[in-house]
Amino acid sequence: MTGGGDSPRAYESPRRREQAAQTRARILDSARRLFELHGYTATSMRAIASDAGVAPKTVYVAFETKATLLRALWHLALRGDEDSAPVGSRTWFSDVLDEPDPVRQLELNARNSRVVKERVGALMDVLRTAAVADPDIAELWDRIQREFYDNQRTVVRSLERKKALKAGLGVARASDILWTLNHPDVYRLLVGDRTWTAAHYEEWLARSLVEQLLSRPE
């Protein structure tokens, strides 16, 4: 039997969770803006707290360290939400693997590439620069690179099982090609430096992947 004193706590708990989630979102938003504007090293936790309108202690309670905050920010940008499920478990990634048509698979992969790269944007440069000065971020950066390559190889293995790869093109070489064409640096060069639209990038990437990886029908 539940005592009367439990009811207020049960009633307030969802509200407190919502308030905590809103505060966390504000902190993440402020951190991203300041990191991208001033850089990781030059941005303090106190500055993030001030921008988010919270006490510095609140930022430390939520994230403990600046590296932890950047890590959370990266996961949010990469995955699109704060669910801890990795990219390989995401519906938008499994849709690529489940697609029976190899051409459509690569078109979906190009679409995902555009969507994710639009989300990560300048944050990728923040991470790259921060990795030079912060060992924790350097470890995160190395893991990002490994996971990105592994995800590309998973797509290639799916194509291999369909016997869709070009003759003589093995999994290792095909994975290298997919990794290179789909790399964030290529997106940055074309969309950032050469001012392509994201839609143009997606179209080019899909066409290039089909031409480079798939066997031509007889």
Side-chain angles (χ1 to χ4, degrees):
M1 185 173 182
T2 303
D6 291 339
S7 297
R9 265 196 305 275
Y11 176 77
E12 291 174 4
S13 180
R15 182 181 177 186
R16 286 175 179 165
R17 285 197 298 268
E18 181 180 356
Q19 289 174 336
Q22 291 173 348
T23 298
R24 182 181 175 90
R26 287 206 313 276
I27 294 170
L28 287 167
D29 184 62
S30 292
R32 178 165 189 163
R33 181 167 55 255
L34 295 179
F35 284 153
E36 292 180 359
L37 184 62
H38 302 299
Y40 175 80
T41 303
T43 300
S44 68
M45 293 285 266
R46 182 173 294 276
I48 293 169
S50 177
D51 191 85
V54 300
K57 181 179 178 181
T58 302
V59 179
Y60 282 105
V61 167
F63 296 101
E64 296 186 359
T65 67
K66 190 164 65 167
T68 303
L69 175 50
L70 181 56
R71 186 186 300 268
L73 190 55
W74 167 254
H75 288 156
L76 174 62
L78 177 65
R79 299 165 182 169
D81 56 50
E82 289 212 70
D83 191 310
S84 60
V87 168
S89 301
R90 298 281 168 161
T91 300
W92 49 266
F93 187 79
S94 61
D95 285 346
V96 174
L97 303 181
D98 294 341
E99 170 57 48
D101 178 17
V103 172
R104 181 58 181 157
Q105 264 191 289
L106 293 177
E107 290 173 346
L108 289 174
N109 205 50
R111 179 206 64 186
N112 289 346
S113 175
R114 173 187 60 78
V115 170
V116 170
K117 289 174 177 62
E118 284 183 308
R119 282 204 303 261
V120 300
L123 191 61
M124 179 67 74
D125 291 332
V126 172
L127 277 159
R128 188 198 309 272
T129 304
V132 177
D134 190 314
D136 289 336
I137 302 303
E139 180 184 354
L140 172 62
W141 178 257
D142 289 343
R143 183 160 59 83
I144 288 170
Q145 304 310 309
R146 290 194 304 271
E147 290 179 352
F148 176 63
Y149 185 88
D150 289 345
N151 288 335
Q152 307 317 298
R153 186 171 55 194
T154 298
V155 174
V156 167
R157 283 176 170 163
S158 174
L159 293 170
E160 183 198 35
R161 287 193 294 271
K162 296 181 176 69
K163 302 186 184 305
L165 292 178
K166 280 186 176 182
L169 188 61
V171 169
R173 180 62 62 85
S175 298
D176 288 349
I177 292 171
L178 178 54
W179 174 81
T180 300
L181 291 175
N182 195 19
H183 200 278
D185 285 353
V186 176
Y187 177 88
R188 178 176 55 82
L189 288 170
L190 294 177
V191 177
D193 294 357
R194 302 310 306 165
T195 67
W196 285 25
T197 66
H200 189 188
Y201 163 81
E202 178 184 340
E203 179 186 356
W204 167 83
L205 179 60
R207 185 172 63 251
S208 299
L209 293 178
V210 170
E211 291 173 351
Q212 289 293 319
L213 297 177
L214 301 186
S215 59
R216 296 183 180 275
E218 297 294 337

